[in-house]
Amino acid sequence: MIRKVKKIVFTAAALLTTAAVCDAQPTVGIAPYRGGRLAAVSYTFDDGLQDQYTLARPELNRRGLRATFAIIGSKVGGVMHSKQDRKDGTDGTPCMTWDMVRQLAADGHEIASHGWEHKAVTRLTPDQLRHEVQRNDSAILTETGRRPRTFVYPGNAKTDETIAFCEQDKVGSRTFQTSIGSKRDTTWLRQWVEGLVEQGAWGVGMTHGIARGYDHFENPQVLWAHLDYIAARQDEVWVAPLCEVAAYVKERENTELQVSTAADSLTVRPACTLDPLLFRQPLTLMLGSGLWQQARQDGQPLTVYRHRGQTLVDIDPHGGAATIY
């Protein structure tokens, strides 16, 4: 029997009931988030401020968390000025050096583009916009060896037209965000995550300064306590850089599955319409009922695993048929 399944995506409630489907009609679908988790969170640090490296980096690394750092090429090695600096009586906030940016990339964090000069893209002419985006992309590629995969809008200003331009040759951009800086406390941050889990949603946290600079925390321990909390919930929440979750969500929405069933096996053939050179994030298949033990795709073994009561396997959405048995 052959069936075509288009982006079967389960809500948080459905994740708990899929295994009850009759064995004669095994349900195969794409999990909402990697590993069958109920929600996702991406932490984004804007402006490339130095204490993001000296303070946030070790705390993230200690907990095995990876984040997105949005870099302004013209400010690297320099100083960022804001109203907060004047209020605090400081002469700007130091920014990271390229050595620091390279170390973040080597650690596995994402280096995103925040524009060459942090100019609101909605106020630029087409030539100015091209310069703002392309020069920063080139600088990040030259310095890190990796072209940025996402764009973070200065001042969060954007239109449909600027989004289309800024996302060229990228997996996406930060089109929504939640401020998690100075105005928040540990209770608010915990409730934010709880709401994401209840809704089966993806949250994108945005912050800037850690101990100084724009929107900095009165006490950085608020952020460290929150990182402890989210690290302990990784069984339910996929914590990953912006580029990885953005790629997964778009692949999930642009992949069809052709499912063939046999007495003791499933064959799942994915068809993803996105550019395979850009969209390289594995997709998690939920296999429903059945005691599946092994899987192969393109001649390579895949790991079949169980998570939160579901049988799962991660496949290449651009690969050939995956056989599960």
Side-chain angles (χ1 to χ4, degrees):
M1 178 174 62
I2 298 177
R3 294 178 293 123
K4 281 190 176 181
V5 184
K6 184 173 183 180
K7 59 180 182 183
I8 294 182
V9 180
F10 297 94
T11 64
L15 284 169
L16 304 178
T17 60
T18 305
V21 176
C22 175
D23 285 341
Q25 294 288 336
T27 298
V28 179
I30 301 172
Y33 302 105
R34 183 80 188 268
R37 293 176 177 88
L38 305 182
V41 172
S42 298
Y43 294 101
T44 59
F45 294 83
D46 289 15
D47 300 345
L49 304 179
Q50 194 170 113
D51 69 0
Q52 296 171 0
Y53 179 86
T54 58
L55 299 179
R57 170 183 172 255
E59 298 290 344
L60 290 163
N61 290 357
R62 187 175 299 121
R63 296 164 176 81
L65 303 174
R66 293 176 301 119
T68 296
F69 293 84
I71 301 300
I72 307 165
S74 67
K75 297 294 185 181
V76 174
V79 175
M80 191 77 177
H81 296 279
S82 70
K83 293 179 180 178
Q84 185 66 49
D85 293 309
R86 293 191 291 274
K87 179 180 178 182
D88 293 344
T90 60
D91 187 22
T93 304
C95 294
M96 298 182 210
T97 65
W98 281 116
D99 282 342
M100 293 175 179
V101 174
R102 283 189 287 271
Q103 185 59 59
L104 284 170
D107 290 347
H109 300 290
E110 178 191 6
I111 306 302
S113 174
H114 204 24
W116 176 250
E117 294 184 281
H118 197 255
K119 292 182 176 180
V121 297
T122 54
R123 300 178 182 176
L124 303 179
T125 67
D127 284 345
Q128 290 171 332
L129 177 59
R130 187 176 301 106
H131 177 270
E132 181 74 3
V133 174
Q134 294 180 353
R135 183 167 183 183
N136 211 42
D137 286 357
S138 296
I140 292 172
L141 174 61
T142 298
E143 295 292 342
T144 69
R146 307 174 191 179
R147 184 177 295 278
R149 299 183 65 204
T150 59
F151 188 89
V152 172
Y153 300 97
N156 301 315
K158 54 197 170 294
T159 63
D160 289 345
E161 292 75 16
T162 55
I163 289 172
F165 183 86
C166 294
E167 289 191 353
Q168 289 180 12
D169 300 319
K170 296 179 176 65
V171 300
S173 60
R174 194 180 68 187
T175 56
F176 62 94
Q177 64 283 318
T178 297
S179 175
I180 60 170
S182 62
K183 298 181 288 293
R184 310 306 185 190
D185 58 24
T186 52
T187 298
W188 190 97
L189 292 169
R190 183 181 68 251
Q191 291 173 345
W192 173 58
V193 173
E194 289 173 351
L196 295 174
V197 173
E198 290 174 3
Q199 298 164 27
W202 172 26
V204 179
M206 173 190 70
T207 194
H208 297 75
I210 305 301
R212 62 179 291 185
Y214 177 70
D215 200 33
H216 68 77
F217 293 85
E218 290 188 13
N219 180 1
Q221 288 297 328
V222 170
L223 181 57
W224 313 150
H226 175 67
L227 295 182
D228 283 336
Y229 170 77
I230 197 68
R233 296 202 65 170
Q234 289 186 87
D235 184 63
E236 302 167 281
V237 182
W238 181 29
V239 184
L242 183 72
C243 64
E244 294 185 13
V245 185
Y248 187 98
V249 169
K250 285 190 177 180
E251 290 173 12
R252 184 189 74 191
E253 295 299 315
N254 290 277
T255 299
E256 289 190 1
L257 305 177
Q258 185 182 71
V259 182
S260 303
T261 61
D264 56 358
S265 68
L266 292 173
T267 299
V268 182
R269 187 178 301 277
C272 182
T273 59
L274 302 174
D275 183 351
L277 297 179
L278 281 175
F279 292 88
R280 306 184 298 272
Q281 184 67 34
L283 282 178
T284 299
L285 294 188
M286 299 175 59
L287 304 179
S289 59
L291 300 177
W292 311 110
Q293 301 291 331
Q294 301 179 62
R296 299 184 72 85
Q297 185 182 31
D298 298 326
Q300 299 299 315
L302 305 175
T303 300
V304 178
Y305 58 102
R306 291 189 65 80
H307 182 74
R308 300 185 61 81
Q310 295 293 316
T311 302
L312 309 170
V313 62
D314 296 328
I315 67 165
D316 177 359
H318 302 285
T323 303
I324 303 151
Y325 48 96

